[in-house]
Amino acid sequence: MMNTLAVVGLLWGDEGKGKVVDLISKKADVVVRYQGGTNAGHTVYYKGKPLPLHLIPSGIFNKKSKCVIGNGCVIDLRSLYEEILNLKKEGIDVKGRLFISKRAHVTFPYHIEEDKKTEKIKGLGKLGTTSRGVGPTYTDKYARTGIRIADLLYPEGLEALVENNLKTKKVMDDEINIPSILEEYRTIVSELREYFTDTVFFLNNEIDKGKRVLFEGAQGCLLDIDFGTYPYVTSSNPTVGGICTGTGVPSSKIKRVIGVAKAYSTRVGVGPFPTEFDKGFQEQFRENAHEFGATTGRPRSCGWFDAVGIRYACMVNGVSSIAITKIDCLSGIETIKVCIDYKTKEGKQIQSFPSYSNELSKVVPTYEEFKGWEEDIRGINKIEDLPSEARDYLKGLEEILNVDFVIISTGPDRDATIVKEKIW
Ligand code: GDP
Ligand code: IMO
Ligand code: MG
């Protein structure tokens, strides 16, 4: 029997994956990040306090779970080390529980500088990246000039590798002090050495032993480099295919996929967003729902639930059930809208999810309306305690999507959750 489960974001990230993973990982033996870097911000409430994680899997608060950072991730060692120290301050020790792939690529400080300088695309303007050096690190990975964790363990050839990496960078005109960067990284490596390992064997062995393994996606389907709203995307594959390439676990071993979606939509950064709210309502909504980025603090754009995007994401990911979050943030809205299809300006129905961002930015959404509710529902953990309008809204969404909601989240805390069926 294989006890594997993936939790993936269905739209543009920040769906509440951190909360869902923390909850489900109570019974997980291993929790795995398979792509992305410190561009992710997954907020978990620990002892009543919000703790955003950027690279360490959200299973870290469950002291029995082991946590893996797979080969598909890119690792900013400075930031990772800081994250480990911060967790220690909160009483969470990663010793013996953290496993980092030696195949993962390393983000250096110059990747971060490069990210800031190169995110402007001619004719398109800014992309609004998180400036964490993620795109440039993946660029180097595919150009075969990148530096991996394994390379850091062999200091003799390292300086030459970094020099070679820098030679490929046309935009880097600053003085870069390679020896000083390497000195700093050597110190961090000596602290973290015990965590570097072959995670491919570790993970496959754990699965073969029947352990419960949970894969935690970062970002979401519409930020996927292949399936998202290119070029307004991230540089990795948050969709399930990314698990195979990002961990070395074959698709035959991924048994179940839970998609995470908010009860409305958000996006941070730049790019098309068909169901975006009008400006005035949006600002008021954002304040109430605390829609500000966990990584950059930027205001997130907010809009209605987009069933077209979610259906597409469910198809690409093979989603079997959905965890729906932040339903509490819809309280007090008189009429709640759901986008059920896209039409062209001329009124022609669009059959698929447009692959061209220019086309997506011009679609006209068709909305179905639901009656809202006044009650504050934050913290409710039984479905029967929700107002009937909230239950009708959720049931309506399930019908529109033809997928069941297995988890309904009504607040950031673990307890503020309705779990409709046993997960493991
Ligand atoms: P992630 O990137 O998908 O892990 O999501 P983020 O952590 O970036 O953003 C989700 C935010 O919503 C976090 O601040 C969570 O603490 C918060 N959150 C998660 N679920 C709920 C919920 O059901 N209700 C409310 N009000 N907040 C939630
Ligand atoms: P989590 O895991 C929301 C967005 C950025 C930008 C684009 C490219 O918390 O859901 P990048 O730095 O990746 O090159 O930026 O992707 N982005 C995210 N938006 N949540 C995230 O992660 C994101 N990670 C990247 O805002 O639009
Ligand atoms: Mg986030």
Side-chain angles (χ1 to χ4, degrees):
M1 188 182 57
M2 279 176 208
N3 261 322
T4 53
L5 181 62
V7 170
V8 297
L10 297 181
L11 287 183
W12 290 284
D14 300 330
E15 297 89 350
K17 298 174 292 291
K19 163 169 172 168
V20 171
V21 168
D22 171 62
L23 186 86
I24 301 180
S25 70
K26 272 195 290 194
K27 286 198 183 156
D29 297 297
V30 186
V31 184
V32 193
R33 272 282 304 272
Y34 55 92
Q35 45 70 234
T38 49
N39 48 353
H42 298 177
T43 315
V44 176
Y45 270 64
Y46 181 66
K47 296 183 176 163
K49 196 166 133 189
L51 291 175
L53 295 165
H54 298 289
L55 199 52
I56 295 183
S58 304
I60 202 72
F61 298 103
N62 290 300
K63 294 186 178 162
K64 284 194 202 127
S65 309
K66 291 174 178 161
C67 288
V68 173
I69 301 175
N71 57 277
C73 295
V74 292
I75 301 181
D76 174 345
L77 277 179
R78 258 184 193 168
S79 170
L80 174 66
Y81 188 48
E82 210 178 285
E83 209 168 317
I84 291 172
L85 295 180
N86 281 341
L87 284 169
K88 209 165 186 178
K89 272 193 225 145
E90 301 296 332
I92 303 289
D93 198 351
V94 303
K95 220 177 168 58
R97 300 175 52 208
L98 183 62
F99 301 80
I100 300 169
S101 172
K102 286 193 205 173
R103 289 186 169 88
H105 279 249
V106 180
T107 300
F108 282 91
Y110 55 78
H111 287 115
I112 295 170
E113 290 310 311
E114 192 183 355
D115 197 358
K116 289 177 188 159
K117 283 186 184 160
T118 57
E119 71 145 350
K120 257 197 191 129
I121 298 181
K122 223 174 172 185
L124 289 179
K126 274 190 167 226
L127 278 185
T129 73
T130 58
S131 308
R132 293 296 189 270
V134 170
T137 313
Y138 279 114
T139 301
D140 291 352
K141 169 176 174 171
Y142 290 102
R144 290 159 298 181
T145 56
I147 290 143
R148 308 196 298 173
I149 293 284
D151 296 317
L152 301 181
L153 303 174
Y154 299 96
E156 317 80 56
L158 190 55
E159 189 158 341
L161 281 179
V162 174
E163 274 169 10
N164 181 56
N165 184 211
L166 279 167
K167 252 191 246 155
T168 63
K169 299 187 180 299
K170 293 194 190 78
V171 292
M172 305 302 295
D173 46 14
D174 294 340
E175 267 293 308
I176 292 162
N177 188 336
I178 301 176
S180 144
I181 296 174
L182 291 184
E183 183 56 38
E184 183 192 347
Y185 270 50
R186 249 193 297 280
T187 313
I188 301 176
V189 167
S190 68
E191 292 289 327
L192 302 185
R193 186 179 292 269
E194 64 186 290
Y195 306 119
F196 301 146
T197 184
D198 190 325
T199 54
V200 179
F201 280 82
F202 172 72
L203 278 173
N204 279 286
N205 285 337
E206 290 292 290
I207 294 171
D208 295 345
K209 280 192 279 184
K211 298 282 184 192
R212 288 179 174 145
V213 177
L214 172 55
F215 298 95
E216 173 180 4
Q219 290 85 45
C221 181
L222 298 190
L223 286 175
D224 187 286
I225 186 85
D226 286 284
F227 304 108
T229 50
Y230 193 89
Y232 305 102
V233 291
T234 191
S235 301
S236 66
N237 290 116
T239 47
V240 282
I243 298 176
C244 304
T245 52
T247 64
V249 171
S251 61
S252 56
K253 287 185 180 171
I254 304 163
K255 288 298 159 196
R256 185 172 174 197
V257 182
I258 296 183
V260 189
K262 278 176 188 156
Y264 49 93
S265 311
T266 62
R267 135 159 250 179
V268 63
V270 182
F273 186 5
T275 64
E276 188 169 359
F277 294 144
D278 298 335
K279 201 163 172 273
F281 178 65
Q282 179 161 181
E283 272 165 27
Q284 180 200 334
F285 182 89
R286 179 186 300 127
E287 287 299 323
N288 288 340
H290 302 291
E291 287 297 353
F292 296 89
T295 300
T296 56
R298 289 178 293 176
R300 295 172 183 149
S301 305
C302 305
W304 299 115
F305 190 91
D306 186 347
V308 182
I310 302 269
R311 268 194 225 114
Y312 165 69
C314 287
M315 177 179 74
V316 170
N317 284 294
V319 161
S320 44
S321 44
I322 286 180
I324 194 107
T325 61
K326 301 197 80 165
I327 176 91
D328 52 301
C329 297
L330 293 177
S331 290
I333 299 174
E334 208 176 306
T335 305
I336 301 171
K337 294 190 197 178
V338 175
C339 167
I340 52 167
D341 78 29
Y342 294 161
K343 291 198 169 59
T344 62
K345 258 200 328 245
E346 292 74 32
K348 205 171 140 229
Q349 188 166 345
I350 298 170
Q351 298 298 343
S352 60
F353 187 80
S355 51
Y356 186 46
S357 280
N358 241 346
E359 201 181 311
L360 183 63
S361 64
K362 293 194 188 96
V363 300
V364 180
T366 310
Y367 289 109
E368 188 170 319
E369 295 189 346
F370 288 83
K371 195 167 178 289
W373 59 93
E374 277 301 322
E375 296 90 326
D376 181 3
I377 59 171
R378 194 161 156 144
I380 284 181
N381 54 18
K382 289 195 199 82
I383 191 96
E384 58 273 24
D385 291 347
L386 287 176
S388 62
E389 292 86 353
R391 273 182 278 142
D392 289 347
Y393 178 62
L394 292 167
K395 195 155 171 287
L397 290 183
E398 283 180 324
E399 279 165 12
I400 290 166
L401 299 171
N402 199 20
V403 182
D404 288 341
F405 295 163
V406 66
I407 287 172
I408 298 157
S409 173
T410 60
D413 299 327
R414 261 191 204 174
D415 298 341
T417 319
I418 299 164
V419 183
K420 283 181 43 193
E421 67 180 74
K422 218 167 140 223
I423 308 284
W424 296 96

